[in-house]
Amino acid sequence: VGDESIIDYVYKVVVIGDSAVGKTQVLSRFTRNEFCLDSKSTIGVEFQTRTLTIQSKVIKAQIWDTAGQERYRAVTSAYYRGALGAMLLYDITKRDSFDHVARWVEELRAHADNSIVIALIGNKVDLEDKRAVPSEDAVEFAENQGLYFFETSALTGDNVEAAFFKLLEEIYSVV
Ligand code: GDP
Ligand code: MG
């Protein structure tokens, strides 16, 4: 969709989670269908967009990337302001990144809107042989917290579309 004038809604979505879990690559897979194995950490806050159709409405997803701030636990409240959805990523091969998910949920509850829709994403499923987080652990956490749960691979693209579409459809149904 190239004509901005026909956009019905703009949805702000934030991507959060520990450094190196694949936030930037999941985002570039979704918005540009690209992947870069040796991506350097991003500098400066930025967002990418993708325009898509949900139930005949043209929706522009404006998806924000923490851009390296996660290292210093310095994601500011401005980052969360106005966000209707959040993609909370961990790396299925890094137990720490899953153990920190609860802290990220706290961050969201503290800084984001109460009604924010949250998807928990276990990324890098292409590295199944190095898995350190059983799916069941994440399913249980997601159920307890009322989050959607997906396992994705930015490398293969597995489930990336499904995860974003589910989140955006859910936002559409609640706003
Ligand atoms: P960020 O710090 O959370 O933004 O993480 P990046 O997107 O920069 O990714 C960190 C590293 O993990 C990079 O070397 C990526 O190429 C790699 N990576 C990201 N997603 C995947 C994935 O799904 N599978 C594999 N095997 N590597 C990934
Ligand atoms: Mg990044």
Side-chain angles (χ1 to χ4, degrees):
V1 184
D3 184 355
E4 296 272 323
S5 63
I6 63 158
I7 288 167
D8 292 301
Y9 303 106
V10 177
Y11 291 166
K12 177 177 174 180
V13 171
V14 291
V15 183
I16 55 171
D18 281 8
S19 187
V21 297
K23 297 182 297 299
T24 299
Q25 292 310 313
V26 164
L27 185 45
S28 74
R29 173 62 73 192
F30 182 64
T31 56
R32 290 180 278 122
N33 201 20
E34 284 175 10
F35 178 85
C36 173
L37 199 55
D38 295 310
S39 62
K40 298 281 177 287
S41 43
T42 344
I43 308 296
V45 172
E46 55 189 339
F47 60 80
Q48 296 180 44
T49 63
R50 177 167 158 189
T51 302
L52 45 92
T53 304
I54 291 175
Q55 293 182 28
S56 322
K57 296 293 183 195
V58 180
I59 289 165
K60 183 174 188 171
Q62 185 189 79
I63 309 162
W64 291 64
D65 192 350
T66 53
Q69 296 163 313
E70 70 275 23
R71 284 190 190 178
Y72 316 105
R73 310 269 313 138
V75 178
T76 62
S77 51
Y79 182 73
Y80 297 107
R81 194 167 302 136
L84 300 173
M87 286 286 195
L88 169 44
L89 270 75
Y90 66 91
D91 175 344
I92 68 149
T93 73
K94 295 274 179 336
R95 183 73 207 186
D96 271 10
S97 71
F98 178 71
D99 292 339
H100 295 158
V101 159
R103 289 213 308 234
W104 285 107
V105 173
E106 277 172 34
E107 282 273 295
L108 282 170
R109 304 281 184 225
H111 298 293
D113 227 72
N114 280 336
S115 58
I116 194 166
V117 181
I118 306 170
L120 177 65
I121 309 291
N123 188 42
K124 308 196 187 181
V125 278
D126 56 284
L127 302 175
E128 186 59 47
D129 52 327
K130 294 186 185 139
R131 179 186 285 272
V133 183
S135 304
E136 301 74 46
D137 292 13
V139 167
E140 190 187 344
F141 181 87
E143 278 176 0
N144 288 338
Q145 297 280 332
L147 320 177
Y148 293 96
F149 173 61
F150 288 87
E151 288 191 334
T152 63
S153 169
L155 190 151
T156 65
D158 197 16
N159 249 351
V160 171
E161 291 267 319
F164 274 101
F165 270 87
K166 178 72 190 171
L167 185 77
L168 295 165
E169 280 167 3
E170 188 56 26
I171 293 169
Y172 177 74
S173 74
V174 297
V175 297

